[in-house]
Amino acid sequence: MEIELSPEHEAIRDGVKKIVDRFDDEYWSTHEEEKKFPFEFHKAMADGGWLGITMPEDLGGAGLGVTEAAVMMHTVTSGCGGYNSASTLHLNLFGPHAVVVFGNPEQKERMLKPLIAGTDRACFGVTEPDAGLDTTSITTFATKVDGGYRVTGRKIWTSSGQVANKILLLTRTTPKEQCRKPTDGMTLFYTDLDKSRIEVRRIPKMGRNAVDSNATFIDDYFIPDADRIGEEGKGFHYILHSLNPERILVGIEAVGLGRGALARASKYAGERKVFGRFIGENQGIQHPLAENWTYLESAYWMIMRAANLYDRGLPCGAEANAGKFLGGRAAFEACTRAVMTHGGMGYSTEYQVERLFRESILLRIAPITEQMILSFIAEKVLDLPKSY
Ligand SMILES: Cc1cc2nc3c(=O)[nH]c(=O)nc-3n(C[C@H](O)[C@H](O)[C@H](O)COP(=O)(O)OP(=O)(O)OC[C@H]3O[C@@H](n4cnc5c(N)ncnc54)[C@H](O)[C@@H]3O)c2cc1C
């Protein structure tokens, strides 16, 4: 049983780190405060060829697995950009998975190449205000017309909608009550996000402000047949394919974020003198930090195991969900402890840990909440009745 990173993984880590290290605290805190998308970072990662890490090689990607993407994203969030930096890239890695697997050759060429080059930016329109986590209750409706569909509905939390020119959009094409199963009757599109026709309204939020999130209003918007992914009515099943990679990547991004916060806390503990000694000399400061390391490390390897299973084509739902849960918790605890270790300075923006702390709670909520993960494990692993 191999549980080490390979030399290839280390090369990915080192290559990504070289780019990540060019973007310092000042860059990220300015982008956070001014709510500006980090175009320069996005371009640097595209130029380095990293945006296509999981995309097919014949389209210009690297054709690597989720394990390699996890190594990359862990390195990204361990740097100064935390979760802002991950969210700049995240959708490229798992979002277009449905296009990779179910798109036709013309769609792959047209949709994926510009994503890999970084010339297109896509957002993900799944969540709706009235459906919440109950995705089968979405009501955004695509009505078939000549040559395409006319779509009306409302999405919420569409991240990076302000800077994206494309949207992966989940719609209903048959009302839920007319379907044999609630998961039937949904159709997936990857199409233009034409902001002269679709209103994308920024939502003021707690953190991760370099990457916007939005309420998206779609009113009688025409989408051509050519932009429908796969068959009509199967959209939900296509989206399911990307769920485990998404859980794995969000989990590992959380671990990187927590590690970044822990590194800052340890550094401060070794430099700050109170009562004539470094605060890090006190076990009351050391032990919680050591505990954070322990949780982060165990989350890391749970997630890497999930990635390894996924890449070998084995079932990994329980591990991917558990990894996302552990990563989110471990990151939140580490970021909270990093603020506490800095004392009053933890509350100032100067030491950055408050920024990471605000990001860390998001990883417990999105893209899937802790309750839903636990319900999944209770049902699928422990054989308890489905509770939702
Ligand atoms: C910053 C941010 C960015 C996001 N970006 C995107 C994006 O780009 N695209 C996109 O589509 N979505 C996005 N989301 C949406 C995100 O995936 C959802 O917010 C998340 O899935 C939770 O859904 P909800 O907010 O509707 O919670 P709700 O469904 O309203 O649930 C509220 C609470 O009740 C709990 N709950 C509900 N039902 C049960 C039950 N049966 N048992 C136990 N607990 C239950 C939930 O776990 C949760 O804690 C984003 C969200 C945020 C905050």
Side-chain angles (χ1 to χ4, degrees):
M1 189 169 66
E2 283 283 336
I3 50 168
E4 289 299 323
L5 293 189
S6 68
E8 289 75 26
H9 294 145
E10 285 171 2
I12 290 173
R13 182 194 61 200
D14 297 345
V16 171
K17 189 164 176 347
K18 275 201 188 114
I19 299 176
V20 168
D21 286 349
R22 283 170 30 205
F23 296 86
D24 60 9
D25 280 345
E26 198 194 331
Y27 177 84
W28 287 107
S29 54
T30 306
H31 281 72
E32 168 70 16
E33 269 165 43
E34 295 178 5
K35 302 181 171 50
K36 276 195 314 202
F37 188 81
F39 289 106
E40 304 78 10
F41 174 70
H42 180 263
K43 181 167 185 329
M45 291 298 283
D47 291 347
W50 295 107
L51 294 190
I53 188 168
T54 54
M55 303 272 199
E57 282 177 278
D58 57 347
L59 296 174
L64 296 172
V66 173
T67 308
E68 286 73 27
V71 171
M72 165 180 155
M73 293 312 281
H74 181 254
T75 310
V76 164
T77 51
S78 303
C80 297
Y83 203 55
N84 266 324
S85 55
S87 302
T88 311
L89 317 170
H90 187 79
L91 197 99
N92 253 69
L93 303 178
F94 77 88
H97 196 67
V99 183
V100 173
V101 180
F102 302 102
N104 61 39
E106 182 278 323
Q107 288 177 326
K108 288 187 200 184
E109 177 85 15
R110 176 165 59 90
M111 296 169 179
L112 299 179
K113 273 194 167 171
L115 272 178
I116 296 170
T119 47
D120 273 356
R121 267 184 295 275
C123 59
F124 197 55
V126 172
T127 310
E128 294 191 5
D130 294 333
L133 285 156
D134 182 9
T135 306
T136 65
S137 294
I138 63 165
T139 52
T140 294
F141 205 86
T143 307
K144 187 79 191 88
V145 292
D146 204 20
Y149 295 80
R150 300 211 79 92
V151 180
T152 296
R154 194 173 156 194
K155 296 287 173 184
I156 193 158
W157 289 117
T158 327
S159 288
S160 77
Q162 296 292 328
V163 294
N165 60 330
K166 297 282 174 186
I167 184 166
L168 191 75
L169 185 69
L170 189 66
T171 64
R172 272 222 164 266
T173 34
T174 310
K176 185 174 175 176
E177 40 305 338
Q178 290 173 24
C179 293
R180 202 170 51 83
K181 287 193 291 179
T183 49
D184 291 344
M186 283 187 260
T187 300
L188 188 64
F189 298 93
Y190 182 84
T191 196
D192 289 337
L193 180 65
D194 176 357
K195 277 169 246 167
S196 67
R197 297 288 328 278
I198 293 179
E199 187 188 347
V200 181
R201 194 185 299 163
R202 193 166 186 146
I203 302 172
K205 63 185 189 317
M206 184 195 295
R208 208 209 58 180
N209 280 308
V211 178
D212 55 86
S213 295
N214 303 278
T216 305
F217 301 85
I218 306 170
D219 184 17
D220 198 28
Y221 186 66
F222 179 77
I223 301 181
D225 285 329
D227 289 354
R228 190 189 71 215
I229 306 302
E231 287 177 46
E232 187 180 297
K234 298 216 169 141
F236 187 80
H237 304 279
Y238 300 155
I239 288 273
L240 281 185
H241 269 260
S242 60
L243 288 191
N244 285 330
E246 186 190 30
R247 308 259 194 282
I248 290 166
L249 293 176
V250 173
I252 209 80
E253 289 160 9
V255 173
L257 175 74
R259 291 213 209 263
L262 180 59
R264 289 175 193 271
S266 315
K267 181 167 181 291
Y268 191 79
E271 290 171 352
R272 171 74 173 159
K273 256 189 176 170
V274 188
F275 296 111
R277 53 198 270 148
F278 292 111
I279 59 169
E281 290 178 54
N282 302 303
Q283 288 186 341
I285 291 286
Q286 287 181 5
H287 285 186
L289 298 179
E291 213 175 296
N292 292 144
W293 182 88
T294 307
Y295 287 127
L296 288 166
E297 191 69 7
S298 61
Y300 180 84
W301 288 109
M302 167 64 96
I303 297 161
M304 291 309 262
R305 174 169 154 70
N308 178 275
L309 290 170
Y310 181 86
D311 286 336
R312 287 192 290 141
L314 297 170
C316 67
E319 291 79 3
N321 275 282
K324 185 328 187 145
F325 178 92
L326 290 172
R329 277 276 172 101
F332 179 73
E333 298 297 337
C335 292
T336 306
R337 183 52 54 183
V339 173
M340 308 285 274
T341 304
H342 283 73
M345 292 320 286
Y347 213 68
S348 81
T349 54
E350 182 184 346
Y351 283 86
Q352 311 293 328
V353 285
E354 59 79 37
R355 169 167 62 89
L356 305 182
F357 168 75
R358 285 184 282 117
E359 289 175 356
S360 69
I361 196 163
L362 175 59
L363 291 152
R364 296 180 65 180
I365 300 170
I368 181 85
T369 60
E370 292 182 351
Q371 290 95 329
M372 288 295 111
I373 289 179
L374 296 176
S375 294
F376 174 89
I377 291 174
E379 182 195 344
K380 305 285 181 197
V381 182
L382 306 178
D383 277 338
L384 291 167
K386 184 173 165 122
S387 64
Y388 58 95

